[in-house]
Amino acid sequence: MDPFMQAAIDEARLGREEGGIPIGSVIVHQGRIIGRGHNRRVQQGSAILHGEMDAFENAGRQSAQVYKESVIYTTLSPCPMCSGAIALYGIPRVVVGENQTFMGEEDWLRSRGVEVEVLQDATCVALMRDFIAAEPALWNEDIGEP
C-alpha cells in the first residue's frame, strides 16, 4: 500500500470514528505530507469541509509553486467543489482511492491537464459502501442530493 494513500485512509477512518463521513485526503509535496484532512462537515457543522478541503485548510497558506509541485491523495473521487480547489491551486496530479461509490469530476480535471489515477482500492470502496448503507440521508446531504 502506498503510504500516502494509507494516510488518506487513516484520515477517512478517523472521520468515521468522529461520527462523520469516511473520506480522507493528504497533500504531498516532495515526498512529505504538508496537509491532511477528512470530511468534517458533521463534526464542524460546515457546508464545505470535505476531505480535500480540510487537507487544503490544514496545509495552510502555501506558495503557488508548492501546490504546482504537489500531489493530492483522496479516498474518493473528488466532487465539483474539491475539484475546483485542486484546479485553482494547480495541483497537477490526483490519486483517487475509488470511484465506484461516487464519480466526481475526474473528466473535468483531466480536461484541465490534471493527471488522475484511480486505484479502486478495496478498503476505500468498503468504507464508503458501509457508510452509504448505514447513513444514506447523511450521504445525500454531503453530495447535495435531496
Side-chain angles (χ1 to χ4, degrees):
M1 165 71 66
D2 179 307
F4 299 124
M5 182 52 69
Q6 184 60 58
I9 290 169
D10 293 345
E11 285 291 326
R13 287 183 172 138
L14 179 59
R16 188 65 182 133
E17 289 169 12
E18 294 171 352
I21 299 164
I23 303 168
S25 183
V26 296
I27 301 170
V28 178
H29 178 254
Q30 297 181 347
R32 182 177 68 85
I33 295 173
I34 62 169
R36 62 176 60 234
H38 52 274
N39 187 305
R40 295 189 310 140
R41 289 185 64 253
V42 172
Q43 300 92 312
Q44 297 294 319
S46 171
I48 63 168
L49 278 180
H50 283 187
E52 299 91 336
M53 301 300 280
D54 194 38
F56 275 115
E57 181 69 16
N58 291 325
R61 188 173 162 200
Q62 300 290 330
S63 72
Q65 189 60 40
V66 166
Y67 283 126
K68 288 182 185 326
E69 298 170 347
S70 294
V71 177
I72 190 165
Y73 290 74
T74 180
T75 58
L76 186 64
S77 185
C79 75
M81 175 178 64
C82 296
S83 294
I86 290 165
L88 176 68
Y89 291 110
I91 302 278
R93 183 167 178 249
V94 180
V95 180
V96 176
E98 67 101 353
N99 64 6
Q100 294 176 17
T101 60
F102 177 80
M103 174 59 81
E105 297 300 319
E106 294 172 23
D107 288 340
W108 182 81
L109 284 166
R110 288 183 183 104
S111 78
R112 309 263 318 178
V114 177
E115 177 189 347
V116 179
E117 178 184 357
V118 181
L119 304 177
Q120 300 304 12
D121 179 81
T123 300
C124 294
V125 173
L127 280 168
M128 286 309 298
R129 281 199 176 137
D130 292 348
F131 170 74
I132 292 167
E135 303 265 5
L138 181 54
W139 172 239
N140 286 336
E141 174 190 322
D142 195 63
I143 59 172
E145 294 290 328

